[in-house]
Amino acid sequence: PPLSPWLQRQFCRLFGTNEISLRLLSMTSYWLAILAAYWLGRELLGPLGGGLASLVLAWHPEAIGEIRIARCY
């Protein structure tokens, strides 16, 4: 989708063209997904369910692997 390259371009404009600015979009999305998993789990299953849902997402090996890769396409 064109949204991801556009957001990466905005991050590069704000923080310069470097490796960190390319990874920042993935890191920001990862943290927002953890917060969303906690919120949804808390709404459906209570605070314990929200905490478990966010921990499962945070410790998922494929989710962590996606953050380490700086994609510049």
Side-chain angles (χ1 to χ4, degrees):
L3 181 61
S4 179
W6 182 81
L7 286 173
Q8 271 191 337
R9 191 175 324 127
Q10 301 309 317
F11 274 85
C12 286
R13 283 185 186 157
L14 288 173
F15 303 109
T17 307
N18 54 35
E19 185 179 351
I20 296 297
S21 66
L22 290 175
R23 292 179 188 216
L24 196 57
L25 179 60
S26 296
M27 289 188 301
T28 305
S29 301
Y30 176 68
W31 287 108
L32 289 174
I34 291 172
L35 290 173
Y38 173 74
W39 178 79
L40 183 62
R42 187 188 67 196
E43 291 294 318
L44 295 175
L45 303 170
L48 183 62
L52 288 174
S54 62
L55 281 176
V56 166
L57 178 62
W59 289 346
H60 196 279
E62 288 189 25
I64 293 172
E66 291 296 319
I67 294 171
R68 295 180 300 152
I69 302 168
R71 292 188 174 94
C72 55
Y73 48 79

